Amino acid sequence: MNMGSMSFASIFANGCRSLSSPALLVRTLGLTHISLVDYSNNLLPVPWCPRTPTPTPNKRAFSCEATKTDVADLNTDSSANGYPKYDRLLPCPSHNLPPRVEHLVVSEGGRVQDYICKALDLPPLFVADLIHFGAVFYALVCPRPPPTATPEQVKLFKQYTAPSALVNRTSIKGKTVREAQKTFRITHVDQFVETGTYLRVHVHPKRSPRCYEIDWKSRIIAVADSYVVLDKPAGTSVGGTTDNIEETCATFATRALGLTSPLRTTHQIDNCTEGCVVLARTKEYCSVFHGKIREKTVKKLYLALAAAPLPVGIITHYMRPINMAPRLVSEEKIEGWHMCKLEIIECRKVPWPSSAIKEKYCVEDCYWPSKDYAYECKINLLTGKTHQIRAQLTACGAPILGDSAYMPAALAEITSPGVNPFGKHRKNRSIEDIKETDITEWIAQHGKEPSVGIGLQACQISWDDGKHMYEAGIPWWRC
């Protein structure tokens, strides 16, 4: 899988730790009593004892951190840090471990599974699971190290990227260095990696335990020759993450229907959002549906449970063009920012969901001061930007229930008007007067992404002028 040209610096900017960070993370995965999928049944666990190999020069020079110091005696029931031992990714843990990404340069060619096992001192079945989850990537030539790299690491990079070394590698003949640095997903444990190959191993991929709790057959809305419509559960990913393409709606819906070819993702909705998602049964229809989205012939209606009333009509904002959460929006047009438009079709007053209902559906309590009534809004999404409804409703002072990422910011603006540099109360400052520190402080008012669900449902999807129209089930707050 082509992940594009990527430098070490860009990798770490997206969340990986520095090469010089201390070895503090524990290698462990908590286990739950969940049945393994068919793939896992073919890989039965075997006893594993940690090795204490003699370090070899340059073996781990591009790794994020050392290994031996953070691995306890995994022959016992738990490590010295009190965590359970592990040798598999399945069963799925009930929580996510802190991110951990290892960067390696292959010093001796061979099977990729064998090399990772030896370099990171990991059990073979665990590495096989990582590869199956899509958590291992390679590039023929390693990217340039970041400024935090040690002199030894820089020396190794120069050793393996020197013209004298590259000229002897037939695999990169005819390619530019930039082309050779493109990353691709490792797809098989037996894949051969030659000396000098760069490996990126996501040892702690982001997990989705909710996938194992769902009756997926009951979430199927429609099955057609070329597509499937799914009522996506909250707390699940439509098509997966960079380090986990196994625990996804597409994968589990494919298995539930007994299909021989995997379903393909045609569009996304947030993990914390439930509702209608279209999955293509063929590569051809995936392209067809993408075309319909580009031509704006796909219509999406949402139900949002807001904390405050909203006026009926079209709401317009402009979203900052930075691909990271939280998404910032402004009522005033800003050069280079993307226009976001949605239409509030109706807004009705409803009882605030009880604590029992919120607990049942894993909706977080975000400490909104008034909890007598909420406001169910039907929304026609006119433009489709990431977090658009969540960000726009927050900017209107009506955040979505359970949205732990955006509701704290709405509360901050209520208690301290003007803290939002793009809000209504910005004290007559012009857009040009807004400083980077103002933006940083505003971002700090937001919270963490919801762990499971919020009051947002993609309640209806249609295309071809309503020829194809599908609706989701009853939203959680009406149950």
Side-chain angles (χ1 to χ4, degrees), residues 417-442:
V419 67
N420 179 1
F422 307 106
K424 296 178 180 179
H425 307 289
R426 60 172 188 247
K427 301 174 183 177
N428 297 320
R429 287 186 300 171
S430 67
I431 292 296
E432 291 75 18
D433 293 333
I434 296 173
K435 301 176 181 178
E436 192 63 34
T437 54
D438 299 324
I439 296 175
T440 302
E441 290 174 3
W442 175 232

PDB file of all heavy atoms in Angstrom, residues 417-442:
ATOM      1  N   PRO A 417     -16.024  34.463  27.589  1.00  0.00           N
ATOM      2  CA  PRO A 417     -16.264  34.945  26.221  1.00  0.00           C
ATOM      3  C   PRO A 417     -15.040  35.641  25.640  1.00  0.00           C
ATOM      4  O   PRO A 417     -14.415  36.475  26.284  1.00  0.00           O
ATOM      5  CB  PRO A 417     -17.419  35.936  26.410  1.00  0.00           C
ATOM      6  CG  PRO A 417     -18.104  35.495  27.663  1.00  0.00           C
ATOM      7  CD  PRO A 417     -17.004  34.975  28.550  1.00  0.00           C
ATOM      8  N   GLY A 418     -14.682  35.231  24.433  1.00  0.00           N
ATOM      9  CA  GLY A 418     -13.525  35.802  23.773  1.00  0.00           C
ATOM     10  C   GLY A 418     -12.337  34.873  23.718  1.00  0.00           C
ATOM     11  O   GLY A 418     -11.362  35.143  23.009  1.00  0.00           O
ATOM     12  N   VAL A 419     -12.400  33.745  24.470  1.00  0.00           N
ATOM     13  CA  VAL A 419     -11.277  32.803  24.435  1.00  0.00           C
ATOM     14  C   VAL A 419     -11.150  32.163  23.052  1.00  0.00           C
ATOM     15  O   VAL A 419     -10.062  31.800  22.634  1.00  0.00           O
ATOM     16  CB  VAL A 419     -11.438  31.715  25.531  1.00  0.00           C
ATOM     17  CG1 VAL A 419     -12.624  30.812  25.257  1.00  0.00           C
ATOM     18  CG2 VAL A 419     -10.162  30.886  25.641  1.00  0.00           C
ATOM     19  N   ASN A 420     -12.282  32.075  22.332  1.00  0.00           N
ATOM     20  CA  ASN A 420     -12.247  31.576  20.961  1.00  0.00           C
ATOM     21  C   ASN A 420     -11.856  32.730  20.036  1.00  0.00           C
ATOM     22  O   ASN A 420     -12.634  33.666  19.839  1.00  0.00           O
ATOM     23  CB  ASN A 420     -13.615  31.025  20.565  1.00  0.00           C
ATOM     24  CG  ASN A 420     -13.649  30.507  19.129  1.00  0.00           C
ATOM     25  OD1 ASN A 420     -12.649  30.535  18.421  1.00  0.00           O
ATOM     26  ND2 ASN A 420     -14.817  30.034  18.704  1.00  0.00           N
ATOM     27  N   PRO A 421     -10.663  32.697  19.461  1.00  0.00           N
ATOM     28  CA  PRO A 421     -10.217  33.818  18.630  1.00  0.00           C
ATOM     29  C   PRO A 421     -11.021  33.989  17.351  1.00  0.00           C
ATOM     30  O   PRO A 421     -10.944  35.037  16.707  1.00  0.00           O
ATOM     31  CB  PRO A 421      -8.757  33.463  18.310  1.00  0.00           C
ATOM     32  CG  PRO A 421      -8.684  31.982  18.442  1.00  0.00           C
ATOM     33  CD  PRO A 421      -9.657  31.628  19.529  1.00  0.00           C
ATOM     34  N   PHE A 422     -11.816  32.967  16.980  1.00  0.00           N
ATOM     35  CA  PHE A 422     -12.633  33.047  15.773  1.00  0.00           C
ATOM     36  C   PHE A 422     -14.120  33.139  16.103  1.00  0.00           C
ATOM     37  O   PHE A 422     -14.961  33.029  15.216  1.00  0.00           O
ATOM     38  CB  PHE A 422     -12.380  31.814  14.896  1.00  0.00           C
ATOM     39  CG  PHE A 422     -10.924  31.585  14.591  1.00  0.00           C
ATOM     40  CD1 PHE A 422     -10.228  30.558  15.208  1.00  0.00           C
ATOM     41  CD2 PHE A 422     -10.254  32.404  13.704  1.00  0.00           C
ATOM     42  CE1 PHE A 422      -8.887  30.346  14.933  1.00  0.00           C
ATOM     43  CE2 PHE A 422      -8.912  32.190  13.425  1.00  0.00           C
ATOM     44  CZ  PHE A 422      -8.224  31.172  14.046  1.00  0.00           C
ATOM     45  N   GLY A 423     -14.456  33.345  17.378  1.00  0.00           N
ATOM     46  CA  GLY A 423     -15.852  33.372  17.808  1.00  0.00           C
ATOM     47  C   GLY A 423     -16.483  34.751  17.737  1.00  0.00           C
ATOM     48  O   GLY A 423     -15.873  35.739  17.331  1.00  0.00           O
ATOM     49  N   LYS A 424     -17.728  34.823  18.199  1.00  0.00           N
ATOM     50  CA  LYS A 424     -18.495  36.071  18.148  1.00  0.00           C
ATOM     51  C   LYS A 424     -17.965  37.107  19.128  1.00  0.00           C
ATOM     52  O   LYS A 424     -18.181  38.305  18.941  1.00  0.00           O
ATOM     53  CB  LYS A 424     -19.969  35.780  18.450  1.00  0.00           C
ATOM     54  CG  LYS A 424     -20.659  34.894  17.432  1.00  0.00           C
ATOM     55  CD  LYS A 424     -22.094  34.636  17.839  1.00  0.00           C
ATOM     56  CE  LYS A 424     -22.804  33.745  16.823  1.00  0.00           C
ATOM     57  NZ  LYS A 424     -24.204  33.457  17.213  1.00  0.00           N
ATOM     58  N   HIS A 425     -17.305  36.655  20.179  1.00  0.00           N
ATOM     59  CA  HIS A 425     -16.885  37.570  21.250  1.00  0.00           C
ATOM     60  C   HIS A 425     -15.382  37.797  21.242  1.00  0.00           C
ATOM     61  O   HIS A 425     -14.754  37.842  22.288  1.00  0.00           O
ATOM     62  CB  HIS A 425     -17.316  37.006  22.607  1.00  0.00           C
ATOM     63  CG  HIS A 425     -18.769  36.665  22.672  1.00  0.00           C
ATOM     64  ND1 HIS A 425     -19.761  37.610  22.704  1.00  0.00           N
ATOM     65  CD2 HIS A 425     -19.397  35.454  22.680  1.00  0.00           C
ATOM     66  CE1 HIS A 425     -20.943  37.006  22.748  1.00  0.00           C
ATOM     67  NE2 HIS A 425     -20.745  35.697  22.742  1.00  0.00           N
ATOM     68  N   ARG A 426     -14.797  37.930  20.084  1.00  0.00           N
ATOM     69  CA  ARG A 426     -13.341  38.044  20.042  1.00  0.00           C
ATOM     70  C   ARG A 426     -12.845  39.477  20.269  1.00  0.00           C
ATOM     71  O   ARG A 426     -11.748  39.851  19.855  1.00  0.00           O
ATOM     72  CB  ARG A 426     -12.783  37.497  18.747  1.00  0.00           C
ATOM     73  CG  ARG A 426     -13.266  38.165  17.479  1.00  0.00           C
ATOM     74  CD  ARG A 426     -12.461  37.616  16.294  1.00  0.00           C
ATOM     75  NE  ARG A 426     -12.729  38.344  15.087  1.00  0.00           N
ATOM     76  CZ  ARG A 426     -13.337  37.826  14.037  1.00  0.00           C
ATOM     77  NH1 ARG A 426     -13.776  36.586  14.074  1.00  0.00           N
ATOM     78  NH2 ARG A 426     -13.532  38.557  12.957  1.00  0.00           N
ATOM     79  N   LYS A 427     -13.676  40.298  20.877  1.00  0.00           N
ATOM     80  CA  LYS A 427     -13.289  41.636  21.334  1.00  0.00           C
ATOM     81  C   LYS A 427     -12.840  42.530  20.174  1.00  0.00           C
ATOM     82  O   LYS A 427     -11.835  43.241  20.256  1.00  0.00           O
ATOM     83  CB  LYS A 427     -12.180  41.521  22.383  1.00  0.00           C
ATOM     84  CG  LYS A 427     -12.592  40.697  23.595  1.00  0.00           C
ATOM     85  CD  LYS A 427     -11.444  40.481  24.555  1.00  0.00           C
ATOM     86  CE  LYS A 427     -11.891  39.591  25.720  1.00  0.00           C
ATOM     87  NZ  LYS A 427     -10.788  39.281  26.660  1.00  0.00           N
ATOM     88  N   ASN A 428     -13.619  42.471  19.108  1.00  0.00           N
ATOM     89  CA  ASN A 428     -13.428  43.357  17.955  1.00  0.00           C
ATOM     90  C   ASN A 428     -12.052  43.230  17.290  1.00  0.00           C
ATOM     91  O   ASN A 428     -11.606  44.132  16.587  1.00  0.00           O
ATOM     92  CB  ASN A 428     -13.656  44.822  18.366  1.00  0.00           C
ATOM     93  CG  ASN A 428     -15.077  45.048  18.834  1.00  0.00           C
ATOM     94  OD1 ASN A 428     -16.016  44.501  18.250  1.00  0.00           O
ATOM     95  ND2 ASN A 428     -15.245  45.843  19.868  1.00  0.00           N
ATOM     96  N   ARG A 429     -11.376  42.126  17.540  1.00  0.00           N
ATOM     97  CA  ARG A 429     -10.103  41.918  16.867  1.00  0.00           C
ATOM     98  C   ARG A 429     -10.346  41.460  15.427  1.00  0.00           C
ATOM     99  O   ARG A 429     -11.252  40.675  15.170  1.00  0.00           O
ATOM    100  CB  ARG A 429      -9.261  40.871  17.586  1.00  0.00           C
ATOM    101  CG  ARG A 429      -8.671  41.339  18.905  1.00  0.00           C
ATOM    102  CD  ARG A 429      -7.726  40.287  19.461  1.00  0.00           C
ATOM    103  NE  ARG A 429      -8.410  39.015  19.696  1.00  0.00           N
ATOM    104  CZ  ARG A 429      -7.792  37.891  20.021  1.00  0.00           C
ATOM    105  NH1 ARG A 429      -6.475  37.865  20.118  1.00  0.00           N
ATOM    106  NH2 ARG A 429      -8.465  36.784  20.237  1.00  0.00           N
ATOM    107  N   SER A 430      -9.530  41.916  14.516  1.00  0.00           N
ATOM    108  CA  SER A 430      -9.631  41.452  13.137  1.00  0.00           C
ATOM    109  C   SER A 430      -8.911  40.117  13.008  1.00  0.00           C
ATOM    110  O   SER A 430      -8.099  39.747  13.858  1.00  0.00           O
ATOM    111  CB  SER A 430      -9.007  42.475  12.179  1.00  0.00           C
ATOM    112  OG  SER A 430      -7.598  42.544  12.390  1.00  0.00           O
ATOM    113  N   ILE A 431      -9.199  39.426  11.939  1.00  0.00           N
ATOM    114  CA  ILE A 431      -8.549  38.151  11.682  1.00  0.00           C
ATOM    115  C   ILE A 431      -7.030  38.326  11.621  1.00  0.00           C
ATOM    116  O   ILE A 431      -6.267  37.487  12.102  1.00  0.00           O
ATOM    117  CB  ILE A 431      -9.066  37.526  10.364  1.00  0.00           C
ATOM    118  CG1 ILE A 431     -10.544  37.115  10.510  1.00  0.00           C
ATOM    119  CG2 ILE A 431      -8.221  36.335   9.956  1.00  0.00           C
ATOM    120  CD1 ILE A 431     -10.795  36.024  11.522  1.00  0.00           C
ATOM    121  N   GLU A 432      -6.588  39.448  11.081  1.00  0.00           N
ATOM    122  CA  GLU A 432      -5.152  39.701  10.955  1.00  0.00           C
ATOM    123  C   GLU A 432      -4.467  39.846  12.312  1.00  0.00           C
ATOM    124  O   GLU A 432      -3.248  39.640  12.432  1.00  0.00           O
ATOM    125  CB  GLU A 432      -4.907  40.971  10.123  1.00  0.00           C
ATOM    126  CG  GLU A 432      -5.266  40.837   8.643  1.00  0.00           C
ATOM    127  CD  GLU A 432      -6.770  40.853   8.392  1.00  0.00           C
ATOM    128  OE1 GLU A 432      -7.521  41.308   9.293  1.00  0.00           O
ATOM    129  OE2 GLU A 432      -7.191  40.398   7.312  1.00  0.00           O
ATOM    130  N   ASP A 433      -5.243  40.216  13.351  1.00  0.00           N
ATOM    131  CA  ASP A 433      -4.665  40.426  14.684  1.00  0.00           C
ATOM    132  C   ASP A 433      -4.512  39.136  15.480  1.00  0.00           C
ATOM    133  O   ASP A 433      -3.894  39.135  16.552  1.00  0.00           O
ATOM    134  CB  ASP A 433      -5.521  41.409  15.490  1.00  0.00           C
ATOM    135  CG  ASP A 433      -5.475  42.824  14.909  1.00  0.00           C
ATOM    136  OD1 ASP A 433      -4.455  43.149  14.264  1.00  0.00           O
ATOM    137  OD2 ASP A 433      -6.451  43.570  15.084  1.00  0.00           O
ATOM    138  N   ILE A 434      -5.089  38.042  14.986  1.00  0.00           N
ATOM    139  CA  ILE A 434      -5.031  36.774  15.713  1.00  0.00           C
ATOM    140  C   ILE A 434      -3.621  36.201  15.624  1.00  0.00           C
ATOM    141  O   ILE A 434      -3.049  36.066  14.538  1.00  0.00           O
ATOM    142  CB  ILE A 434      -6.061  35.773  15.160  1.00  0.00           C
ATOM    143  CG1 ILE A 434      -7.478  36.312  15.382  1.00  0.00           C
ATOM    144  CG2 ILE A 434      -5.908  34.410  15.827  1.00  0.00           C
ATOM    145  CD1 ILE A 434      -8.548  35.479  14.714  1.00  0.00           C
ATOM    146  N   LYS A 435      -3.078  35.861  16.780  1.00  0.00           N
ATOM    147  CA  LYS A 435      -1.716  35.334  16.848  1.00  0.00           C
ATOM    148  C   LYS A 435      -1.734  33.807  16.976  1.00  0.00           C
ATOM    149  O   LYS A 435      -2.743  33.214  17.357  1.00  0.00           O
ATOM    150  CB  LYS A 435      -0.980  35.947  18.037  1.00  0.00           C
ATOM    151  CG  LYS A 435      -0.890  37.464  17.981  1.00  0.00           C
ATOM    152  CD  LYS A 435      -0.226  38.009  19.241  1.00  0.00           C
ATOM    153  CE  LYS A 435      -0.160  39.532  19.211  1.00  0.00           C
ATOM    154  NZ  LYS A 435       0.440  40.085  20.450  1.00  0.00           N
ATOM    155  N   GLU A 436      -0.606  33.212  16.704  1.00  0.00           N
ATOM    156  CA  GLU A 436      -0.481  31.761  16.820  1.00  0.00           C
ATOM    157  C   GLU A 436      -0.708  31.309  18.252  1.00  0.00           C
ATOM    158  O   GLU A 436      -1.266  30.234  18.490  1.00  0.00           O
ATOM    159  CB  GLU A 436       0.897  31.312  16.329  1.00  0.00           C
ATOM    160  CG  GLU A 436       1.033  29.808  16.134  1.00  0.00           C
ATOM    161  CD  GLU A 436       0.108  29.263  15.061  1.00  0.00           C
ATOM    162  OE1 GLU A 436      -0.134  29.983  14.068  1.00  0.00           O
ATOM    163  OE2 GLU A 436      -0.380  28.121  15.221  1.00  0.00           O
ATOM    164  N   THR A 437      -0.295  32.134  19.217  1.00  0.00           N
ATOM    165  CA  THR A 437      -0.520  31.776  20.625  1.00  0.00           C
ATOM    166  C   THR A 437      -2.010  31.750  20.957  1.00  0.00           C
ATOM    167  O   THR A 437      -2.446  30.954  21.788  1.00  0.00           O
ATOM    168  CB  THR A 437       0.196  32.771  21.548  1.00  0.00           C
ATOM    169  OG1 THR A 437      -0.204  34.115  21.211  1.00  0.00           O
ATOM    170  CG2 THR A 437       1.700  32.637  21.429  1.00  0.00           C
ATOM    171  N   ASP A 438      -2.802  32.624  20.316  1.00  0.00           N
ATOM    172  CA  ASP A 438      -4.257  32.612  20.516  1.00  0.00           C
ATOM    173  C   ASP A 438      -4.853  31.298  20.027  1.00  0.00           C
ATOM    174  O   ASP A 438      -5.725  30.710  20.674  1.00  0.00           O
ATOM    175  CB  ASP A 438      -4.915  33.784  19.771  1.00  0.00           C
ATOM    176  CG  ASP A 438      -4.438  35.135  20.261  1.00  0.00           C
ATOM    177  OD1 ASP A 438      -4.188  35.273  21.477  1.00  0.00           O
ATOM    178  OD2 ASP A 438      -4.312  36.058  19.430  1.00  0.00           O
ATOM    179  N   ILE A 439      -4.365  30.830  18.893  1.00  0.00           N
ATOM    180  CA  ILE A 439      -4.860  29.571  18.326  1.00  0.00           C
ATOM    181  C   ILE A 439      -4.454  28.404  19.218  1.00  0.00           C
ATOM    182  O   ILE A 439      -5.266  27.505  19.493  1.00  0.00           O
ATOM    183  CB  ILE A 439      -4.317  29.390  16.896  1.00  0.00           C
ATOM    184  CG1 ILE A 439      -4.847  30.502  15.985  1.00  0.00           C
ATOM    185  CG2 ILE A 439      -4.695  28.014  16.349  1.00  0.00           C
ATOM    186  CD1 ILE A 439      -4.278  30.475  14.587  1.00  0.00           C
ATOM    187  N   THR A 440      -3.213  28.418  19.687  1.00  0.00           N
ATOM    188  CA  THR A 440      -2.725  27.347  20.565  1.00  0.00           C
ATOM    189  C   THR A 440      -3.544  27.278  21.844  1.00  0.00           C
ATOM    190  O   THR A 440      -3.918  26.192  22.305  1.00  0.00           O
ATOM    191  CB  THR A 440      -1.243  27.557  20.894  1.00  0.00           C
ATOM    192  OG1 THR A 440      -0.489  27.589  19.673  1.00  0.00           O
ATOM    193  CG2 THR A 440      -0.716  26.434  21.779  1.00  0.00           C
ATOM    194  N   GLU A 441      -3.841  28.441  22.415  1.00  0.00           N
ATOM    195  CA  GLU A 441      -4.633  28.472  23.648  1.00  0.00           C
ATOM    196  C   GLU A 441      -6.051  27.978  23.408  1.00  0.00           C
ATOM    197  O   GLU A 441      -6.643  27.312  24.263  1.00  0.00           O
ATOM    198  CB  GLU A 441      -4.647  29.894  24.213  1.00  0.00           C
ATOM    199  CG  GLU A 441      -3.301  30.344  24.781  1.00  0.00           C
ATOM    200  CD  GLU A 441      -3.303  31.795  25.200  1.00  0.00           C
ATOM    201  OE1 GLU A 441      -4.379  32.433  25.104  1.00  0.00           O
ATOM    202  OE2 GLU A 441      -2.243  32.298  25.614  1.00  0.00           O
ATOM    203  N   TRP A 442      -6.607  28.296  22.245  1.00  0.00           N
ATOM    204  CA  TRP A 442      -7.965  27.846  21.930  1.00  0.00           C
ATOM    205  C   TRP A 442      -8.004  26.330  21.730  1.00  0.00           C
ATOM    206  O   TRP A 442      -8.907  25.643  22.216  1.00  0.00           O
ATOM    207  CB  TRP A 442      -8.474  28.564  20.695  1.00  0.00           C
ATOM    208  CG  TRP A 442      -9.815  28.109  20.200  1.00  0.00           C
ATOM    209  CD1 TRP A 442     -10.145  27.715  18.944  1.00  0.00           C
ATOM    210  CD2 TRP A 442     -11.036  28.001  20.964  1.00  0.00           C
ATOM    211  NE1 TRP A 442     -11.469  27.362  18.861  1.00  0.00           N
ATOM    212  CE2 TRP A 442     -12.040  27.529  20.092  1.00  0.00           C
ATOM    213  CE3 TRP A 442     -11.366  28.251  22.301  1.00  0.00           C
ATOM    214  CZ2 TRP A 442     -13.354  27.316  20.507  1.00  0.00           C
ATOM    215  CZ3 TRP A 442     -12.678  28.020  22.717  1.00  0.00           C
ATOM    216  CH2 TRP A 442     -13.656  27.556  21.838  1.00  0.00           C
TER     217      TRP A 442
END
